[in-house]
Short mmCIF file of all heavy atoms in Angstrom, two decimals:
data_model
loop_
_atom_site.label_atom_id
_atom_site.label_comp_id
_atom_site.label_asym_id
_atom_site.label_seq_id
_atom_site.Cartn_x
_atom_site.Cartn_y
_atom_site.Cartn_z
N MET A 13 154.59 91.67 -32.09
CA MET A 13 153.94 90.76 -31.12
C MET A 13 153.94 89.38 -31.77
O MET A 13 153.86 89.15 -32.88
CB MET A 13 152.45 91.19 -30.99
CG MET A 13 151.81 90.37 -29.90
SD MET A 13 150.17 90.99 -29.43
CE MET A 13 149.16 90.22 -30.72
N ASP A 14 154.22 88.32 -30.94
CA ASP A 14 154.35 87.04 -31.31
C ASP A 14 152.89 86.61 -31.77
O ASP A 14 151.90 86.78 -31.08
CB ASP A 14 154.68 86.15 -30.07
CG ASP A 14 154.91 84.81 -30.37
OD1 ASP A 14 154.23 84.12 -31.20
OD2 ASP A 14 155.95 84.17 -29.86
N GLN A 15 152.90 85.91 -32.99
CA GLN A 15 151.56 85.42 -33.46
C GLN A 15 150.94 84.34 -32.72
O GLN A 15 149.80 84.20 -32.65
CB GLN A 15 151.85 84.95 -34.90
CG GLN A 15 152.18 86.01 -35.91
CD GLN A 15 151.07 87.07 -36.09
OE1 GLN A 15 149.95 86.80 -36.12
NE2 GLN A 15 151.53 88.41 -36.08
N GLN A 16 151.75 83.65 -31.84
CA GLN A 16 151.18 82.62 -30.92
C GLN A 16 150.42 83.20 -29.76
O GLN A 16 149.59 82.58 -29.20
CB GLN A 16 152.18 81.64 -30.54
CG GLN A 16 152.94 80.95 -31.62
CD GLN A 16 152.02 80.16 -32.50
OE1 GLN A 16 151.14 79.42 -31.85
NE2 GLN A 16 152.12 80.17 -33.73
N GLN A 17 150.87 84.48 -29.38
CA GLN A 17 150.28 85.01 -28.20
C GLN A 17 149.19 86.08 -28.47
O GLN A 17 149.59 87.03 -29.10
CB GLN A 17 151.44 85.78 -27.32
CG GLN A 17 152.44 84.86 -26.79
CD GLN A 17 151.86 83.90 -25.76
OE1 GLN A 17 151.05 84.33 -24.87
NE2 GLN A 17 152.27 82.64 -25.73
N PRO A 18 148.00 85.81 -28.13
CA PRO A 18 146.94 86.84 -28.56
C PRO A 18 147.18 88.09 -27.62
O PRO A 18 147.71 88.08 -26.50
CB PRO A 18 145.69 86.14 -28.13
CG PRO A 18 146.01 85.07 -27.29
CD PRO A 18 147.40 84.67 -27.61
N GLU A 19 146.73 89.23 -28.15
CA GLU A 19 146.87 90.49 -27.50
C GLU A 19 145.85 90.57 -26.27
O GLU A 19 144.70 90.19 -26.44
CB GLU A 19 146.64 91.64 -28.37
CG GLU A 19 146.66 92.95 -27.89
CD GLU A 19 146.42 94.02 -28.77
OE1 GLU A 19 145.99 93.76 -29.95
OE2 GLU A 19 146.65 95.22 -28.50
N VAL A 20 146.37 90.91 -25.18
CA VAL A 20 145.51 91.00 -23.96
C VAL A 20 145.28 92.59 -23.86
O VAL A 20 146.21 93.37 -23.96
CB VAL A 20 146.12 90.53 -22.62
CG1 VAL A 20 145.29 90.96 -21.48
CG2 VAL A 20 146.36 89.06 -22.76
N VAL A 21 144.07 92.97 -23.72
CA VAL A 21 143.56 94.39 -23.67
C VAL A 21 142.98 94.65 -22.32
O VAL A 21 142.09 93.99 -21.79
CB VAL A 21 142.56 94.74 -24.67
CG1 VAL A 21 142.17 96.17 -24.53
CG2 VAL A 21 143.14 94.53 -26.06
N ILE A 22 143.63 95.64 -21.61
CA ILE A 22 143.06 96.06 -20.29
C ILE A 22 142.62 97.46 -20.47
O ILE A 22 143.36 98.35 -20.72
CB ILE A 22 144.10 95.99 -19.17
CG1 ILE A 22 144.68 94.57 -19.06
CG2 ILE A 22 143.58 96.41 -17.90
CD1 ILE A 22 145.89 94.45 -18.19
N LYS A 23 141.31 97.69 -20.24
CA LYS A 23 140.82 98.99 -20.42
C LYS A 23 140.51 99.60 -19.06
O LYS A 23 139.82 98.84 -18.15
CB LYS A 23 139.43 98.88 -21.20
CG LYS A 23 138.84 100.35 -21.43
CD LYS A 23 137.44 100.15 -22.19
CE LYS A 23 136.90 101.37 -22.44
NZ LYS A 23 135.61 101.30 -23.15
N VAL A 24 140.81 100.83 -18.76
CA VAL A 24 140.55 101.57 -17.52
C VAL A 24 139.14 102.21 -17.67
O VAL A 24 139.08 103.11 -18.61
CB VAL A 24 141.65 102.44 -17.16
CG1 VAL A 24 141.23 103.13 -15.75
CG2 VAL A 24 143.01 101.80 -17.09
N VAL A 25 138.08 101.76 -17.03
CA VAL A 25 136.77 102.34 -17.22
C VAL A 25 136.76 103.60 -16.28
O VAL A 25 137.19 103.53 -15.21
CB VAL A 25 135.74 101.40 -16.77
CG1 VAL A 25 134.36 101.93 -16.87
CG2 VAL A 25 135.79 100.08 -17.59
N ASN A 26 136.39 104.71 -16.90
CA ASN A 26 136.30 105.93 -16.11
C ASN A 26 135.44 105.71 -14.80
O ASN A 26 134.32 105.22 -14.98
CB ASN A 26 135.71 107.05 -16.87
CG ASN A 26 136.77 107.77 -17.56
OD1 ASN A 26 138.00 107.63 -17.37
ND2 ASN A 26 136.38 108.64 -18.57
N SER A 27 135.92 105.97 -13.60
CA SER A 27 135.24 105.90 -12.39
C SER A 27 134.63 104.44 -12.22
O SER A 27 133.59 104.23 -11.66
CB SER A 27 134.05 106.87 -12.29
OG SER A 27 134.61 108.19 -12.44
N GLY A 28 135.31 103.45 -12.66
CA GLY A 28 134.91 102.05 -12.66
C GLY A 28 136.06 101.11 -12.58
O GLY A 28 137.14 101.45 -12.31
N PRO A 29 135.81 99.86 -13.08
CA PRO A 29 136.74 98.89 -12.80
C PRO A 29 137.73 98.81 -14.11
O PRO A 29 137.66 99.62 -14.97
CB PRO A 29 135.94 97.52 -12.95
CG PRO A 29 134.78 97.99 -13.83
CD PRO A 29 134.48 99.38 -13.51
N TYR A 30 138.67 97.83 -13.94
CA TYR A 30 139.55 97.51 -15.16
C TYR A 30 138.79 96.37 -15.92
O TYR A 30 138.33 95.49 -15.30
CB TYR A 30 140.79 96.89 -14.65
CG TYR A 30 141.69 97.85 -13.86
CD1 TYR A 30 142.09 97.77 -12.60
CD2 TYR A 30 142.35 98.91 -14.63
CE1 TYR A 30 142.84 98.67 -11.96
CE2 TYR A 30 143.14 99.83 -13.89
CZ TYR A 30 143.41 99.59 -12.57
OH TYR A 30 144.25 100.45 -11.92
N GLN A 31 138.63 96.56 -17.11
CA GLN A 31 138.06 95.55 -17.99
C GLN A 31 139.11 94.81 -18.67
O GLN A 31 139.86 95.42 -19.55
CB GLN A 31 137.10 96.13 -18.99
CG GLN A 31 136.34 95.21 -20.02
CD GLN A 31 135.52 95.90 -20.97
OE1 GLN A 31 135.96 96.81 -21.60
NE2 GLN A 31 134.45 95.31 -21.36
N VAL A 32 139.22 93.53 -18.49
CA VAL A 32 140.30 92.78 -19.00
C VAL A 32 139.70 91.87 -20.07
O VAL A 32 138.74 90.96 -19.66
CB VAL A 32 141.02 91.87 -17.99
CG1 VAL A 32 142.25 91.17 -18.55
CG2 VAL A 32 141.57 92.81 -16.87
N LYS A 33 140.18 91.91 -21.30
CA LYS A 33 139.60 91.03 -22.32
C LYS A 33 140.44 89.87 -22.56
O LYS A 33 141.68 89.96 -22.77
CB LYS A 33 139.44 91.87 -23.70
CG LYS A 33 138.40 92.91 -23.55
CD LYS A 33 138.16 93.73 -24.81
CE LYS A 33 137.02 94.70 -24.67
NZ LYS A 33 136.86 95.50 -25.94
N GLY A 34 139.80 88.75 -22.65
CA GLY A 34 140.50 87.41 -22.75
C GLY A 34 140.87 87.09 -24.23
O GLY A 34 140.54 87.85 -25.08
N PRO A 35 141.66 86.14 -24.30
CA PRO A 35 141.84 84.98 -23.37
C PRO A 35 143.03 85.39 -22.41
O PRO A 35 144.11 85.93 -22.77
CB PRO A 35 142.35 83.81 -24.12
CG PRO A 35 142.92 84.35 -25.34
CD PRO A 35 142.26 85.66 -25.69
N VAL A 36 142.75 85.15 -21.14
CA VAL A 36 143.87 85.46 -20.14
C VAL A 36 143.44 84.61 -18.87
O VAL A 36 142.26 84.20 -18.74
CB VAL A 36 143.69 86.94 -19.71
CG1 VAL A 36 142.39 87.31 -19.02
CG2 VAL A 36 144.87 87.41 -18.82
N LYS A 37 144.41 84.36 -18.06
CA LYS A 37 144.20 83.45 -16.89
C LYS A 37 144.55 84.40 -15.60
O LYS A 37 145.62 84.99 -15.58
CB LYS A 37 145.24 82.27 -16.87
CG LYS A 37 144.99 81.43 -15.65
CD LYS A 37 146.20 80.42 -15.52
CE LYS A 37 146.25 79.50 -16.74
NZ LYS A 37 147.30 78.44 -16.69
N LEU A 38 143.53 84.55 -14.80
CA LEU A 38 143.78 85.24 -13.57
C LEU A 38 143.96 84.32 -12.40
O LEU A 38 143.36 83.28 -12.38
CB LEU A 38 142.37 85.98 -13.23
CG LEU A 38 142.34 86.78 -11.95
CD1 LEU A 38 143.25 87.93 -11.90
CD2 LEU A 38 140.89 87.18 -11.57
N VAL A 39 145.05 84.48 -11.62
CA VAL A 39 145.43 83.60 -10.65
C VAL A 39 145.49 84.33 -9.23
O VAL A 39 146.14 85.36 -9.25
CB VAL A 39 146.87 82.98 -10.88
CG1 VAL A 39 147.30 82.04 -9.83
CG2 VAL A 39 146.96 82.27 -12.27
N ASP A 40 144.84 83.81 -8.27
CA ASP A 40 144.78 84.49 -7.02
C ASP A 40 146.03 84.12 -6.15
O ASP A 40 146.81 83.30 -6.57
CB ASP A 40 143.47 84.23 -6.29
CG ASP A 40 143.30 83.00 -5.74
OD1 ASP A 40 144.27 82.13 -5.64
OD2 ASP A 40 142.15 82.62 -5.31
N HIS A 41 146.05 84.74 -4.98
CA HIS A 41 147.26 84.57 -4.03
C HIS A 41 147.46 83.05 -3.58
O HIS A 41 148.48 82.62 -3.10
CB HIS A 41 147.26 85.47 -2.92
CG HIS A 41 146.24 85.14 -1.90
ND1 HIS A 41 144.84 85.48 -2.23
CD2 HIS A 41 146.20 84.48 -0.75
CE1 HIS A 41 144.03 85.12 -1.12
NE2 HIS A 41 144.93 84.47 -0.16
N GLU A 42 146.30 82.22 -3.78
CA GLU A 42 146.39 80.87 -3.45
C GLU A 42 146.61 79.94 -4.57
O GLU A 42 146.41 78.67 -4.36
CB GLU A 42 145.35 80.49 -2.57
CG GLU A 42 145.13 81.18 -1.17
CD GLU A 42 144.03 80.77 -0.37
OE1 GLU A 42 142.96 80.36 -0.92
OE2 GLU A 42 143.98 80.97 0.87
N GLY A 43 146.73 80.48 -5.65
CA GLY A 43 147.01 79.77 -6.93
C GLY A 43 145.69 79.31 -7.66
O GLY A 43 145.83 78.57 -8.67
N ARG A 44 144.61 79.73 -7.14
CA ARG A 44 143.31 79.40 -7.82
C ARG A 44 143.22 80.14 -9.13
O ARG A 44 143.58 81.32 -9.22
CB ARG A 44 142.04 79.65 -7.03
CG ARG A 44 141.89 78.76 -5.91
CD ARG A 44 140.66 79.08 -5.16
NE ARG A 44 140.80 80.50 -4.42
CZ ARG A 44 140.90 80.52 -3.18
NH1 ARG A 44 140.86 79.62 -2.37
NH2 ARG A 44 140.99 81.78 -2.61
N GLU A 45 142.80 79.44 -10.23
CA GLU A 45 142.84 80.09 -11.56
C GLU A 45 141.45 80.49 -11.98
O GLU A 45 140.41 79.62 -11.74
CB GLU A 45 143.46 79.05 -12.50
CG GLU A 45 144.94 78.86 -12.19
CD GLU A 45 145.54 77.88 -13.20
OE1 GLU A 45 144.90 77.40 -14.18
OE2 GLU A 45 146.73 77.69 -13.10
N TYR A 46 141.30 81.55 -12.62
CA TYR A 46 140.08 81.86 -13.26
C TYR A 46 140.32 82.15 -14.80
O TYR A 46 141.08 83.03 -14.99
CB TYR A 46 139.55 83.10 -12.57
CG TYR A 46 138.11 83.64 -13.07
CD1 TYR A 46 136.95 83.11 -12.54
CD2 TYR A 46 138.07 84.62 -14.08
CE1 TYR A 46 135.71 83.58 -13.06
CE2 TYR A 46 137.05 85.08 -14.60
CZ TYR A 46 135.68 84.53 -14.02
OH TYR A 46 134.55 85.00 -14.58
N GLU A 47 139.86 81.43 -15.62
CA GLU A 47 140.06 81.58 -17.05
C GLU A 47 138.99 82.58 -17.64
O GLU A 47 137.81 82.46 -17.43
CB GLU A 47 139.85 80.21 -17.81
CG GLU A 47 140.78 79.13 -17.26
CD GLU A 47 142.14 79.15 -17.84
OE1 GLU A 47 142.46 80.10 -18.81
OE2 GLU A 47 143.18 78.55 -17.37
N VAL A 48 139.59 83.42 -18.38
CA VAL A 48 138.72 84.33 -19.20
C VAL A 48 138.92 83.94 -20.71
O VAL A 48 139.98 84.19 -21.22
CB VAL A 48 139.19 85.82 -19.01
CG1 VAL A 48 138.18 86.77 -19.81
CG2 VAL A 48 139.20 86.14 -17.54
N PRO A 49 137.96 83.35 -21.30
CA PRO A 49 138.13 82.85 -22.68
C PRO A 49 138.23 84.03 -23.65
O PRO A 49 137.79 85.11 -23.39
CB PRO A 49 136.83 81.97 -22.88
CG PRO A 49 135.87 82.25 -21.84
CD PRO A 49 136.62 83.01 -20.82
N GLN A 50 138.66 83.73 -24.85
CA GLN A 50 138.68 84.61 -25.88
C GLN A 50 137.32 85.23 -26.24
O GLN A 50 136.32 84.56 -26.12
CB GLN A 50 139.17 83.94 -27.16
CG GLN A 50 139.62 84.83 -28.38
CD GLN A 50 140.36 84.23 -29.37
OE1 GLN A 50 140.52 82.95 -29.39
NE2 GLN A 50 141.00 84.96 -30.27
N ARG A 51 137.46 86.51 -26.51
CA ARG A 51 136.19 87.35 -26.85
C ARG A 51 135.24 87.54 -25.54
O ARG A 51 134.20 87.98 -25.64
CB ARG A 51 135.38 86.79 -27.99
CG ARG A 51 136.09 86.95 -29.25
CD ARG A 51 135.22 86.65 -30.46
NE ARG A 51 134.92 85.34 -30.67
CZ ARG A 51 135.63 84.43 -31.26
NH1 ARG A 51 136.80 84.80 -31.85
NH2 ARG A 51 135.29 83.18 -31.31
N ARG A 52 135.74 87.23 -24.39
CA ARG A 52 134.99 87.39 -23.16
C ARG A 52 135.87 88.43 -22.29
O ARG A 52 137.01 88.56 -22.56
CB ARG A 52 134.74 86.10 -22.33
CG ARG A 52 133.96 85.07 -23.00
CD ARG A 52 132.52 85.56 -23.35
NE ARG A 52 131.74 85.73 -22.19
CZ ARG A 52 131.03 84.81 -21.54
NH1 ARG A 52 130.98 83.62 -21.92
NH2 ARG A 52 130.33 85.11 -20.37
N SER A 53 135.21 88.98 -21.38
CA SER A 53 135.98 89.85 -20.44
C SER A 53 135.56 89.72 -19.03
O SER A 53 134.49 89.15 -18.71
CB SER A 53 135.82 91.37 -20.92
OG SER A 53 134.49 91.74 -20.79
N VAL A 54 136.50 90.12 -18.24
CA VAL A 54 136.16 90.22 -16.77
C VAL A 54 136.35 91.66 -16.22
O VAL A 54 137.27 92.39 -16.77
CB VAL A 54 137.05 89.20 -15.99
CG1 VAL A 54 138.50 89.59 -16.04
CG2 VAL A 54 136.68 88.98 -14.56
N LEU A 55 135.67 92.08 -15.19
CA LEU A 55 135.86 93.36 -14.64
C LEU A 55 136.49 93.18 -13.29
O LEU A 55 135.95 92.56 -12.38
CB LEU A 55 134.45 94.03 -14.50
CG LEU A 55 133.63 94.23 -15.71
CD1 LEU A 55 132.27 94.84 -15.57
CD2 LEU A 55 134.51 95.23 -16.78
N LEU A 56 137.63 93.92 -13.11
CA LEU A 56 138.33 93.80 -12.00
C LEU A 56 138.24 95.13 -11.10
O LEU A 56 138.41 96.22 -11.66
CB LEU A 56 139.84 93.66 -12.15
CG LEU A 56 140.09 92.19 -12.93
CD1 LEU A 56 141.62 92.10 -13.18
CD2 LEU A 56 139.62 91.07 -12.17
N CYS A 57 137.89 94.95 -9.80
CA CYS A 57 137.68 96.10 -8.97
C CYS A 57 138.83 97.04 -8.91
O CYS A 57 140.00 96.64 -8.76
CB CYS A 57 137.32 95.70 -7.64
SG CYS A 57 136.94 97.04 -6.55
N ARG A 58 138.56 98.33 -9.03
CA ARG A 58 139.57 99.27 -8.94
C ARG A 58 139.30 100.33 -7.81
O ARG A 58 140.13 101.00 -7.36
CB ARG A 58 139.65 100.10 -10.22
CG ARG A 58 140.77 101.05 -10.36
CD ARG A 58 141.09 101.47 -11.78
NE ARG A 58 139.95 102.35 -12.32
CZ ARG A 58 140.05 103.59 -12.58
NH1 ARG A 58 141.11 104.29 -12.28
NH2 ARG A 58 139.08 104.21 -13.27
N CYS A 59 138.00 100.15 -7.22
CA CYS A 59 137.78 101.15 -6.18
C CYS A 59 138.02 100.61 -4.73
O CYS A 59 138.04 101.35 -3.76
CB CYS A 59 136.33 101.48 -6.35
SG CYS A 59 135.11 100.19 -5.76
N GLY A 60 138.27 99.30 -4.68
CA GLY A 60 138.48 98.68 -3.35
C GLY A 60 137.30 98.40 -2.48
O GLY A 60 137.35 97.92 -1.37
N GLN A 61 136.03 98.60 -3.12
CA GLN A 61 134.76 98.43 -2.30
C GLN A 61 133.97 97.22 -2.58
O GLN A 61 132.99 96.86 -1.92
CB GLN A 61 133.95 99.66 -2.45
CG GLN A 61 134.57 100.90 -2.07
CD GLN A 61 134.97 100.97 -0.53
OE1 GLN A 61 134.16 100.52 0.35
NE2 GLN A 61 136.21 101.35 -0.36
N SER A 62 134.50 96.42 -3.58
CA SER A 62 133.74 95.25 -3.91
C SER A 62 133.74 94.17 -2.90
O SER A 62 134.86 94.00 -2.19
CB SER A 62 134.31 94.66 -5.25
OG SER A 62 133.74 93.41 -5.59
N GLN A 63 132.58 93.46 -2.73
CA GLN A 63 132.62 92.40 -1.69
C GLN A 63 132.94 91.07 -2.42
O GLN A 63 132.90 90.00 -1.78
CB GLN A 63 131.07 92.19 -1.16
CG GLN A 63 130.59 93.51 -0.36
CD GLN A 63 131.59 93.73 0.77
OE1 GLN A 63 131.78 92.89 1.66
NE2 GLN A 63 132.18 94.94 0.81
N ASP A 64 133.33 91.12 -3.70
CA ASP A 64 133.65 89.97 -4.44
C ASP A 64 135.02 90.13 -5.21
O ASP A 64 135.21 89.82 -6.24
CB ASP A 64 132.57 89.74 -5.57
CG ASP A 64 132.67 88.41 -6.21
OD1 ASP A 64 133.22 87.50 -5.60
OD2 ASP A 64 132.23 88.30 -7.40
N LYS A 65 135.98 90.72 -4.40
CA LYS A 65 137.24 91.12 -5.04
C LYS A 65 137.82 89.71 -5.35
O LYS A 65 137.71 88.76 -4.76
CB LYS A 65 138.17 91.76 -3.96
CG LYS A 65 137.73 93.07 -3.65
CD LYS A 65 138.70 93.73 -2.74
CE LYS A 65 138.22 95.00 -2.09
NZ LYS A 65 137.30 94.71 -0.97
N PRO A 66 138.62 89.76 -6.52
CA PRO A 66 139.04 90.86 -7.19
C PRO A 66 138.12 91.37 -8.31
O PRO A 66 138.37 92.23 -9.03
CB PRO A 66 140.32 90.35 -7.89
CG PRO A 66 140.10 88.91 -8.24
CD PRO A 66 139.19 88.39 -7.09
N PHE A 67 136.89 90.85 -8.26
CA PHE A 67 135.93 91.13 -9.23
C PHE A 67 135.07 92.42 -8.90
O PHE A 67 134.89 92.57 -7.65
CB PHE A 67 135.05 90.04 -9.61
CG PHE A 67 135.75 88.66 -9.97
CD1 PHE A 67 135.89 87.72 -9.02
CD2 PHE A 67 136.45 88.64 -11.21
CE1 PHE A 67 136.66 86.57 -9.43
CE2 PHE A 67 137.16 87.55 -11.48
CZ PHE A 67 137.26 86.43 -10.64
N CYS A 68 134.67 93.12 -9.82
CA CYS A 68 133.91 94.23 -9.66
C CYS A 68 132.51 93.81 -9.43
O CYS A 68 131.91 92.98 -10.16
CB CYS A 68 133.86 95.17 -10.84
SG CYS A 68 132.65 96.53 -10.79
N ASP A 69 131.83 94.35 -8.32
CA ASP A 69 130.44 93.89 -8.04
C ASP A 69 129.52 95.16 -8.16
O ASP A 69 128.32 95.10 -7.87
CB ASP A 69 130.22 93.27 -6.79
CG ASP A 69 130.44 94.17 -5.50
OD1 ASP A 69 130.82 95.40 -5.75
OD2 ASP A 69 130.35 93.80 -4.39
N GLY A 70 129.96 96.18 -8.82
CA GLY A 70 129.15 97.42 -9.03
C GLY A 70 129.20 98.39 -7.86
O GLY A 70 128.48 99.37 -7.91
N ALA A 71 129.93 98.02 -6.74
CA ALA A 71 129.95 98.88 -5.58
C ALA A 71 130.52 100.39 -6.01
O ALA A 71 130.11 101.28 -5.26
CB ALA A 71 130.77 98.28 -4.53
N HIS A 72 131.29 100.38 -6.98
CA HIS A 72 131.88 101.67 -7.28
C HIS A 72 130.76 102.72 -7.58
O HIS A 72 130.96 103.94 -7.34
CB HIS A 72 132.85 101.60 -8.54
CG HIS A 72 132.22 101.05 -9.82
ND1 HIS A 72 132.10 99.73 -10.01
CD2 HIS A 72 131.63 101.81 -10.77
CE1 HIS A 72 131.50 99.65 -11.24
NE2 HIS A 72 131.26 100.75 -11.67
N THR A 73 129.63 102.29 -8.18
CA THR A 73 128.57 103.18 -8.50
C THR A 73 127.89 103.61 -7.17
O THR A 73 127.43 104.72 -6.98
CB THR A 73 127.47 102.62 -9.40
OG1 THR A 73 127.08 101.45 -8.97
CG2 THR A 73 128.18 102.35 -10.71
N ARG A 74 127.64 102.63 -6.24
CA ARG A 74 127.01 103.02 -4.97
C ARG A 74 127.80 103.88 -3.99
O ARG A 74 127.25 104.62 -3.27
CB ARG A 74 126.67 101.71 -4.24
CG ARG A 74 125.68 100.68 -4.91
CD ARG A 74 125.20 99.67 -4.13
NE ARG A 74 126.26 98.76 -3.78
CZ ARG A 74 126.72 97.71 -4.62
NH1 ARG A 74 126.15 97.51 -5.72
NH2 ARG A 74 127.70 96.84 -4.13
N THR A 75 129.14 103.82 -4.13
CA THR A 75 129.97 104.55 -3.20
C THR A 75 130.48 105.88 -3.81
O THR A 75 131.17 106.56 -3.20
CB THR A 75 131.25 103.81 -2.83
OG1 THR A 75 131.88 103.38 -4.04
CG2 THR A 75 130.76 102.37 -2.17
N GLY A 76 130.09 106.07 -5.12
CA GLY A 76 130.50 107.41 -5.75
C GLY A 76 131.94 107.42 -6.09
O GLY A 76 132.44 108.60 -6.24
N PHE A 77 132.62 106.24 -6.38
CA PHE A 77 133.96 106.25 -6.72
C PHE A 77 134.16 107.09 -8.05
O PHE A 77 133.39 106.91 -8.96
CB PHE A 77 134.47 104.77 -7.00
CG PHE A 77 135.84 104.67 -7.49
CD1 PHE A 77 136.96 104.88 -6.73
CD2 PHE A 77 135.94 104.19 -8.72
CE1 PHE A 77 138.22 104.71 -7.27
CE2 PHE A 77 137.27 104.06 -9.31
CZ PHE A 77 138.41 104.36 -8.57
N THR A 78 135.06 107.95 -7.98
CA THR A 78 135.44 108.68 -9.22
C THR A 78 136.90 108.53 -9.46
O THR A 78 137.69 108.88 -8.60
CB THR A 78 134.95 110.18 -9.19
OG1 THR A 78 135.72 110.80 -7.94
CG2 THR A 78 133.46 110.34 -8.98
N ALA A 79 137.26 108.33 -10.61
CA ALA A 79 138.67 108.33 -11.09
C ALA A 79 138.72 108.30 -12.57
O ALA A 79 138.09 107.50 -13.17
CB ALA A 79 139.43 107.06 -10.54
N GLU A 80 139.61 109.10 -13.13
CA GLU A 80 139.78 109.09 -14.45
C GLU A 80 141.29 108.97 -14.61
O GLU A 80 142.08 109.68 -14.00
CB GLU A 80 139.30 110.43 -15.21
CG GLU A 80 137.75 110.60 -15.13
CD GLU A 80 137.30 111.84 -15.77
OE1 GLU A 80 138.14 112.41 -16.55
OE2 GLU A 80 136.10 112.07 -15.71
N ALA A 81 141.71 108.11 -15.44
CA ALA A 81 143.07 107.72 -15.61
C ALA A 81 143.43 107.88 -17.10
O ALA A 81 142.74 107.57 -17.99
CB ALA A 81 143.42 106.38 -15.16
N SER A 82 144.61 108.30 -17.31
CA SER A 82 145.19 108.55 -18.62
C SER A 82 146.33 107.51 -18.73
O SER A 82 147.09 107.32 -17.89
CB SER A 82 145.56 109.93 -18.91
OG SER A 82 146.35 109.97 -20.11
N ALA A 83 146.52 106.95 -19.91
CA ALA A 83 147.58 105.96 -20.21
C ALA A 83 148.87 106.71 -20.49
O ALA A 83 149.81 106.12 -20.83
CB ALA A 83 147.21 104.96 -21.21
N GLU A 84 148.73 108.00 -20.50
CA GLU A 84 150.01 108.80 -20.83
C GLU A 84 151.04 108.81 -19.74
O GLU A 84 150.66 108.85 -18.60
CB GLU A 84 149.65 110.25 -21.14
CG GLU A 84 148.77 110.53 -22.32
CD GLU A 84 148.39 111.89 -22.43
OE1 GLU A 84 149.29 112.81 -22.21
OE2 GLU A 84 147.22 112.26 -22.74
N ARG A 85 152.23 108.49 -20.07
CA ARG A 85 153.24 108.48 -19.17
C ARG A 85 153.78 109.93 -18.77
O ARG A 85 153.88 110.70 -19.70
CB ARG A 85 154.43 107.69 -19.49
CG ARG A 85 154.16 106.20 -19.67
CD ARG A 85 155.36 105.39 -20.21
NE ARG A 85 155.08 104.08 -20.43
CZ ARG A 85 155.39 103.18 -19.69
NH1 ARG A 85 156.18 103.24 -18.65
NH2 ARG A 85 155.04 101.89 -20.03
N PRO A 86 154.03 110.17 -17.55
CA PRO A 86 154.57 111.55 -17.30
C PRO A 86 156.02 111.68 -18.05
O PRO A 86 156.71 110.80 -18.11
CB PRO A 86 154.63 111.51 -15.71
CG PRO A 86 154.69 110.11 -15.35
CD PRO A 86 154.04 109.34 -16.43
N ALA A 87 156.28 112.91 -18.36
CA ALA A 87 157.44 113.22 -19.01
C ALA A 87 158.59 113.02 -17.95
O ALA A 87 158.49 113.28 -16.71
CB ALA A 87 157.44 114.66 -19.40
N THR A 88 159.83 112.51 -18.49
CA THR A 88 160.91 112.28 -17.48
C THR A 88 162.00 113.27 -17.73
O THR A 88 162.10 113.89 -18.86
CB THR A 88 161.45 110.90 -17.63
OG1 THR A 88 161.69 110.63 -19.01
CG2 THR A 88 160.32 109.90 -17.16
S1 FES B 118 135.34 99.04 -9.42
FE1 FES B 118 133.49 98.25 -9.37
S2 FES B 118 133.16 97.49 -7.28
FE2 FES B 118 135.28 98.47 -7.35
#
């Protein structure tokens, strides 16, 4: 990994959002930017029910969203 580029970590929360740890820049379809500073994180909706997309607003708990994901790639 390049020493100039900090590692970005995206964690898949079981039955919940994606937790993205900064520093990272989130850009929406209209080019609006949302900065996530170093050592901070943002939760991105994975269930599709948030009223504040792309951010998680906790709706996944109210709607009973369940999903467990593994980062293992399927054998080819
Ligand atoms: S994952 Fe939390 S509201 Fe969708």
